[in-house]
Amino acid sequence: MRMMRLVARPATVSAGVVSLWVLNTGAMAHEVVVLRLPSGQGIGERPIGPDGKVNEAGSLGEASRSCGTGEGDGIAPGTMAWTTLTLRPGRYELVCNLPGHYLAGMYTELDVTDR
Ligand SMILES: [Cu+2]
């Protein structure tokens, strides 16, 4: 059962420079990490380690700083974070990788199309 969620609007964007603005409307800190989705793999299917996190090696970017860009200590409730990255066409999975949050349902797909 998904207890937390992550929503991408729009869920499809054109390849190139993409700015991600993340608004935390929840009651606790969150983050967004951008991972490529291997072909044949769906969102929510990553193995979860004993620390409650998924492997984020190969992350293409992250928004986890309250009112700022890039990596931080988590996005505080009621604040925004952002990051800008260059994405090639393909399927991506946006995840919150704070312990237990992926298991709770904090993942969504972002599709990048050829412009
Ligand atoms: Cu989270």
Side-chain angles (χ1 to χ4, degrees):
M1 184 176 162
R2 293 178 65 157
M3 304 292 291
M4 301 182 194
R5 67 193 182 127
L6 187 55
V7 179
R9 266 191 227 113
T12 302
V13 298
S14 296
V17 176
V18 175
S19 288
L20 216 58
W21 294 79
V22 184
L23 174 61
N24 180 0
T25 60
M28 62 180 78
H30 295 290
E31 66 177 20
V32 170
V33 177
V34 183
L35 302 171
R36 235 183 197 290
L37 205 44
S39 64
Q41 183 174 304
I43 58 169
E45 293 180 0
R46 290 173 198 274
I48 298 168
D51 57 358
K53 301 166 76 165
V54 300
N55 183 352
E56 62 177 59
S59 159
L60 298 162
E62 176 170 338
S64 55
R65 180 187 304 277
S66 297
C67 309
T69 185
E71 287 186 43
D73 299 332
I75 309 164
T79 71
M80 292 190 81
W82 55 90
T83 191
T84 298
L85 52 171
T86 301
L87 296 178
R88 299 192 305 198
R91 297 165 65 229
Y92 297 83
E93 184 174 18
L94 308 182
V95 312
C96 176
N97 209 18
L98 295 183
H101 290 209
Y102 188 84
L103 179 66
M106 289 201 73
Y107 47 79
T108 194
E109 184 164 340
L110 177 70
D111 294 319
V112 178
T113 58
D114 237 325
R115 44 166 100 227

